Amino acid sequence: MKNILFLTDFSENAWNALKYTISLYENIPCKFYILNSFSEEKHGLDSLNYLDPYEAFHNSSANNSNEKLEQLLNKLAFFDTDAAHEYFMIAKSGSLLNATQKLISQLDIDEILIAAKGDSNKKNKILGRNTKTIIKNINKLPILIVPNTCNSKPTYKIQAKNISFADLQNTLNDGPVMLLKNNTVEEHEEIHGLIDLGNFQNMYLHLAHHIRL
């Protein structure tokens, strides 16, 4: 059983990344842990005076996160009928990085899944701020990064502990990337559709072996 932690902001890009990964792991036993992190809303006493308790509760970030996770779970019930897949929804307050790091050890996570960027990022940028933060700080697990233009393109495997964002963005133009950190290619050979960049031209060999943060 593979434990996959999917980081979502509920954007269309995140939904497309999840759909792609569900297809990639077709018939492979997986537990998908779907995480949304949020910042607690802080209201001054004056502002609270204008809200009744019911409105204050239902306007909270936590409640909004849980509601959207429930909507996503209902959506998945119709989209993914693969009996090998299980889903667990998690709403956490605080930064995305801190929540991710805690869940990695608590849930024995094997792989991180994230869209290349959320809807709030600039349209001309391929990698968003949160994705860059995860890439820079998660060093022991493979990270599957799915660009928002992804349809049925192959996933490229890059064996590198460090990678420049410029080189990564160039590769994401061609399709999703499985960024391997302290992992061997053999660990992912049960997944159909992965292409080892080591089998490609010299430009990919350069990407895989000489890149730096």
Side-chain angles (χ1 to χ4, degrees):
M1 179 73 71
K2 182 178 290 291
N3 294 328
I4 300 172
L5 181 59
F6 170 51
L7 314 181
T8 184
D9 60 355
F10 304 116
S11 65
E12 190 65 23
N13 292 340
W15 171 241
N16 289 336
L18 182 56
K19 289 193 298 181
Y20 175 85
T21 308
I22 289 170
S23 176
L24 185 67
Y25 286 101
E26 184 178 4
N27 297 323
I28 296 176
C30 295
K31 288 183 178 180
F32 289 90
Y33 294 93
I34 300 180
L35 167 66
N36 174 252
S37 67
F38 59 89
S39 298
E40 289 283 6
E41 293 177 354
K42 295 181 179 178
H43 300 285
L45 290 177
D46 291 340
S47 64
L48 282 177
N49 289 334
Y50 294 98
L51 292 174
D52 64 45
Y54 184 86
E55 287 178 319
F57 173 77
H58 283 275
N59 286 336
S60 70
S61 297
N63 189 63
N64 182 59
S65 178
N66 281 308
E67 282 185 356
K68 288 186 176 180
L69 284 171
E70 185 177 357
Q71 291 170 7
L72 179 57
L73 184 60
N74 291 334
K75 196 174 181 179
L76 284 165
F78 288 96
F79 178 80
D80 186 12
T81 57
D82 194 329
H85 296 167
E86 298 178 62
Y87 293 93
F88 304 87
M89 303 304 189
I90 304 169
K92 287 278 189 181
S93 63
S95 75
L96 178 64
L97 178 60
N98 287 341
T100 300
Q101 289 173 327
K102 289 178 181 178
L103 290 174
I104 285 173
S105 57
Q106 291 175 0
L107 300 175
D108 194 23
I109 296 299
D110 300 304
E111 180 183 309
I112 303 294
L113 164 63
I114 191 169
K117 67 175 182 179
D119 283 343
S120 61
N121 292 280
K122 295 181 179 178
K123 291 184 178 180
N124 62 335
K125 298 291 185 181
I126 296 176
L127 282 173
R129 176 175 53 84
N130 283 333
T131 304
K132 287 182 177 181
T133 298
I134 293 299
I135 293 170
K136 286 168 64 176
N137 292 281
I138 303 299
N139 299 312
K140 295 183 179 180
L141 291 178
I143 303 172
L144 177 56
I145 308 159
V146 183
N148 63 323
T149 54
C150 171
N151 292 311
S152 57
K153 294 180 179 178
T155 300
Y156 299 99
K157 295 183 294 187
I158 299 177
Q159 288 182 286
K161 294 182 180 179
N162 299 300
I163 185 168
S164 74
F165 291 131
D167 285 336
L168 179 56
Q169 288 179 152
N170 288 335
T171 308
L172 284 166
N173 282 325
D174 295 326
V177 168
M178 177 77 80
L179 184 60
L180 303 179
K181 298 188 175 187
N182 298 335
N183 291 78
T184 62
V185 174
E186 287 73 18
E187 291 182 44
H188 295 83
E189 285 188 342
E190 77 278 11
I191 309 169
H192 299 292
L194 293 187
I195 296 179
D196 187 357
L197 291 191
N199 295 330
F200 275 62
Q201 17 184 334
N202 290 334
M203 61 177 286
Y204 289 123
L205 290 174
H206 171 79
L207 175 63
H209 298 293
H210 299 285
I211 39 190
R212 295 287 184 269
L213 264 176

